[in-house]
Coordinates of all heavy atoms in Angstrom, one line a residue:
G1 N 15.8 1.7 -24.0 CA 15.1 2.9 -23.5 C 14.9 2.9 -22.0 O 15.1 4.0 -21.3
E2 N 14.5 1.9 -21.5 CA 14.3 1.7 -20.1 C 15.7 1.8 -19.3 O 15.8 2.4 -18.2 CB 13.6 0.4 -19.7 CG 12.2 0.4 -20.1 CD 11.5 -0.9 -20.2 OE1 12.1 -1.9 -20.2 OE2 10.3 -1.0 -20.3
M3 N 16.7 1.1 -19.9 CA 18.0 1.2 -19.3 C 18.5 2.7 -19.3 O 19.1 3.1 -18.3 CB 18.9 0.4 -20.1 CG 20.3 0.1 -19.4 SD 20.1 -0.7 -17.8 CE 21.8 -0.7 -17.2
A4 N 18.2 3.4 -20.3 CA 18.6 4.8 -20.5 C 18.0 5.6 -19.3 O 18.6 6.4 -18.6 CB 18.2 5.4 -21.7
R5 N 16.7 5.3 -19.0 CA 16.0 6.0 -17.8 C 16.6 5.6 -16.5 O 16.7 6.5 -15.6 CB 14.6 5.8 -17.9 CG 13.9 6.5 -19.1 CD 12.4 6.4 -19.1 NE 11.9 5.1 -19.5 CZ 11.6 4.8 -20.7 NH1 12.0 5.6 -21.8 NH2 11.1 3.6 -21.1
L6 N 17.0 4.3 -16.3 CA 17.5 3.9 -15.1 C 18.9 4.4 -14.8 O 19.3 4.6 -13.6 CB 17.7 2.3 -15.1 CG 16.4 1.5 -15.0 CD1 16.6 0.1 -15.3 CD2 15.8 1.6 -13.5
T7 N 19.7 4.7 -15.9 CA 21.0 5.2 -15.7 C 21.2 6.6 -15.9 O 22.3 7.2 -15.6 CB 22.0 4.5 -16.7 OG1 21.5 4.7 -18.0 CG2 22.0 2.9 -16.4
G8 N 20.2 7.3 -16.5 CA 20.4 8.8 -16.8 C 21.2 9.0 -18.1 O 21.5 10.2 -18.5
L9 N 21.4 7.9 -18.9 CA 22.1 8.1 -20.1 C 21.1 8.2 -21.3 O 19.9 8.0 -21.0 CB 23.0 6.8 -20.4 CG 24.1 6.5 -19.3 CD1 24.6 5.2 -19.6 CD2 25.1 7.6 -19.3
D10 N 21.5 8.5 -22.5 CA 20.5 8.3 -23.6 C 20.8 6.9 -24.2 O 21.8 6.2 -24.0 CB 20.8 9.4 -24.6 CG 22.1 9.4 -25.4 OD1 22.6 8.3 -25.7 OD2 22.7 10.5 -25.5
A11 N 19.8 6.5 -25.1 CA 19.8 5.1 -25.5 C 21.1 4.9 -26.4 O 21.5 3.7 -26.4 CB 18.5 4.9 -26.4
R12 N 21.6 5.8 -27.2 CA 22.8 5.6 -27.9 C 23.9 5.3 -27.0 O 24.8 4.4 -27.3 CB 23.1 6.8 -28.8 CG 22.1 7.0 -29.9 CD 22.4 8.3 -30.7 NE 22.2 9.5 -29.8 CZ 22.2 10.7 -30.2 NH1 22.7 11.0 -31.4 NH2 22.0 11.7 -29.4
E13 N 24.1 5.9 -25.9 CA 25.1 5.6 -25.0 C 25.0 4.2 -24.4 O 26.0 3.5 -24.2 CB 25.2 6.6 -23.8 CG 25.6 8.1 -24.3 CD 25.6 9.0 -23.1 OE1 24.5 9.3 -22.7 OE2 26.6 9.4 -22.6
V14 N 23.8 3.8 -24.1 CA 23.5 2.5 -23.6 C 24.0 1.5 -24.6 O 24.7 0.5 -24.2 CB 22.0 2.3 -23.3 CG1 21.6 0.8 -23.0 CG2 21.5 3.1 -22.1
Q15 N 23.7 1.7 -25.9 CA 24.0 0.7 -27.0 C 25.5 0.7 -27.2 O 25.9 -0.3 -27.9 CB 23.3 1.0 -28.2 CG 21.7 0.9 -28.0 CD 21.3 -0.6 -27.8 OE1 21.5 -1.2 -26.7 NE2 20.8 -1.3 -28.9
R16 N 26.2 1.7 -26.9 CA 27.7 1.8 -27.3 C 28.5 0.8 -26.6 O 29.5 0.2 -27.2 CB 28.2 3.2 -26.9 CG 29.5 3.5 -27.4 CD 29.9 5.0 -27.3 NE 29.0 5.8 -28.2 CZ 28.4 6.9 -27.8 NH1 28.5 7.3 -26.5 NH2 27.7 7.6 -28.6
D17 N 28.2 0.4 -25.3 CA 28.9 -0.6 -24.7 C 28.0 -1.4 -23.8 O 28.0 -1.3 -22.5 CB 30.1 0.0 -23.8 CG 30.9 -1.1 -23.1 OD1 30.7 -2.3 -23.5 OD2 31.7 -0.7 -22.3
R18 N 27.1 -2.2 -24.4 CA 26.1 -3.0 -23.7 C 26.7 -3.9 -22.6 O 26.1 -3.9 -21.4 CB 25.3 -3.7 -24.6 CG 24.3 -2.8 -25.5 CD 23.8 -3.6 -26.6 NE 23.2 -4.9 -26.4 CZ 21.9 -5.0 -25.9 NH1 21.2 -3.9 -25.8 NH2 21.4 -6.2 -25.6
I19 N 27.8 -4.6 -23.0 CA 28.3 -5.6 -22.0 C 28.9 -4.9 -20.8 O 28.7 -5.3 -19.6 CB 29.3 -6.5 -22.7 CG1 28.7 -7.4 -23.8 CG2 30.2 -7.3 -21.8 CD1 29.7 -8.1 -24.6
G20 N 29.7 -3.8 -21.1 CA 30.4 -3.1 -20.0 C 29.3 -2.4 -19.0 O 29.5 -2.4 -17.8
L21 N 28.3 -1.8 -19.7 CA 27.4 -1.1 -18.9 C 26.5 -2.0 -18.1 O 26.3 -1.8 -16.8 CB 26.5 -0.3 -19.8 CG 25.3 0.5 -19.0 CD1 25.8 1.6 -18.2 CD2 24.4 1.1 -20.2
A22 N 26.1 -3.1 -18.6 CA 25.3 -4.1 -17.9 C 26.1 -4.7 -16.6 O 25.6 -4.8 -15.6 CB 24.9 -5.2 -18.8
R23 N 27.4 -5.0 -17.0 CA 28.2 -5.5 -15.9 C 28.4 -4.4 -14.7 O 28.2 -4.8 -13.6 CB 29.6 -5.9 -16.4 CG 30.6 -6.4 -15.3 CD 31.9 -6.7 -15.8 NE 31.9 -8.1 -16.3 CZ 32.3 -8.5 -17.5 NH1 32.7 -7.6 -18.4 NH2 32.3 -9.8 -17.9
R24 N 28.7 -3.3 -15.1 CA 28.8 -2.3 -14.0 C 27.6 -2.0 -13.2 O 27.6 -1.9 -11.9 CB 29.3 -0.9 -14.7 CG 30.7 -0.9 -15.2 CD 31.2 0.4 -15.6 NE 30.3 1.0 -16.7 CZ 30.6 0.8 -18.0 NH1 31.6 0.0 -18.4 NH2 29.9 1.4 -18.9
Y25 N 26.5 -2.0 -13.9 CA 25.2 -1.7 -13.1 C 24.9 -2.8 -12.2 O 24.4 -2.7 -11.0 CB 24.0 -1.5 -14.1 CG 22.8 -1.0 -13.6 CD1 22.5 0.3 -13.6 CD2 21.9 -1.9 -13.1 CE1 21.3 0.8 -13.0 CE2 20.6 -1.4 -12.5 CZ 20.4 0.0 -12.4 OH 19.2 0.3 -11.9
A26 N 25.0 -4.1 -12.7 CA 24.7 -5.3 -11.9 C 25.5 -5.4 -10.7 O 25.1 -5.6 -9.5 CB 24.8 -6.5 -12.7
V27 N 26.9 -5.2 -10.9 CA 27.7 -5.2 -9.7 C 27.6 -4.1 -8.7 O 27.5 -4.3 -7.5 CB 29.3 -5.2 -10.3 CG1 30.2 -5.0 -9.0 CG2 29.5 -6.4 -11.0
Q28 N 27.3 -2.9 -9.3 CA 27.1 -1.7 -8.4 C 25.8 -1.9 -7.5 O 25.9 -1.5 -6.3 CB 27.1 -0.4 -9.2 CG 26.8 0.8 -8.3 CD 26.7 2.1 -9.2 OE1 26.9 2.0 -10.4 NE2 26.3 3.2 -8.6
H29 N 24.8 -2.5 -8.1 CA 23.5 -2.4 -7.4 C 23.1 -3.8 -6.8 O 22.0 -3.9 -6.2 CB 22.4 -1.9 -8.3 CG 22.6 -0.5 -8.8 ND1 22.6 0.6 -7.9 CD2 22.9 0.0 -10.0 CE1 22.8 1.7 -8.6 NE2 23.0 1.4 -9.8
G30 N 23.9 -4.8 -7.1 CA 23.6 -6.1 -6.5 C 22.5 -6.7 -7.1 O 21.7 -7.4 -6.4
V31 N 22.1 -6.5 -8.4 CA 21.0 -7.1 -9.0 C 21.6 -7.9 -10.3 O 22.7 -7.7 -10.7 CB 20.0 -6.0 -9.5 CG1 19.4 -5.3 -8.4 CG2 20.7 -5.1 -10.6
T32 N 20.6 -8.8 -10.8 CA 20.9 -9.4 -12.0 C 20.2 -8.5 -13.1 O 19.0 -8.2 -12.9 CB 20.3 -10.9 -12.1 OG1 21.1 -11.7 -11.1 CG2 20.5 -11.5 -13.5
L33 N 21.0 -8.2 -14.1 CA 20.4 -7.3 -15.1 C 20.3 -7.9 -16.4 O 21.2 -8.6 -17.0 CB 21.3 -6.0 -15.3 CG 20.7 -5.1 -16.3 CD1 19.7 -4.1 -15.5 CD2 21.7 -4.2 -17.0
V34 N 19.1 -7.9 -17.1 CA 18.9 -8.4 -18.4 C 18.7 -7.3 -19.4 O 17.6 -6.7 -19.4 CB 17.7 -9.5 -18.5 CG1 17.4 -9.9 -20.0 CG2 17.9 -10.6 -17.6
L35 N 19.8 -6.9 -20.1 CA 19.6 -5.8 -21.1 C 19.2 -6.4 -22.4 O 20.0 -7.0 -23.2 CB 21.0 -5.0 -21.2 CG 21.0 -3.9 -22.2 CD1 19.9 -2.9 -21.9 CD2 22.4 -3.2 -22.1
K36 N 17.9 -6.1 -22.7 CA 17.3 -6.8 -23.9 C 17.7 -6.2 -25.2 O 18.3 -5.1 -25.2 CB 15.7 -6.8 -23.7 CG 15.3 -7.5 -22.5 CD 13.8 -7.6 -22.4 CE 13.2 -6.3 -22.0 NZ 11.7 -6.4 -21.6
G37 N 17.4 -6.9 -26.3 CA 17.8 -6.5 -27.6 C 18.4 -7.6 -28.4 O 18.6 -8.7 -27.9
A38 N 18.9 -7.3 -29.6 CA 19.7 -8.3 -30.4 C 20.9 -8.7 -29.5 O 21.6 -7.9 -29.1 CB 20.1 -7.7 -31.7

């Protein structure tokens, strides 16, 4: 839910490709991202 707010996506879109989204966000913004969940 927090990732959805950070990216402007909805939670279902976040969950659709967690690995790809996390990588793109971390590289783009120069941060380490921990996308929680199972």
Side-chain angles (χ1 to χ4, degrees):
E2 291 162 343
M3 189 65 184
R5 290 188 281 276
L6 285 169
T7 58
L9 303 172
D10 65 43
R12 286 174 297 180
E13 290 176 291
V14 168
Q15 295 292 78
R16 189 169 292 132
D17 182 11
R18 288 164 53 84
I19 292 173
L21 178 63
R23 174 181 277 128
R24 290 190 296 273
Y25 191 93
V27 171
Q28 179 182 351
H29 297 294
V31 299
T32 297
L33 185 86
V34 176
L35 181 53
K36 296 184 289 194

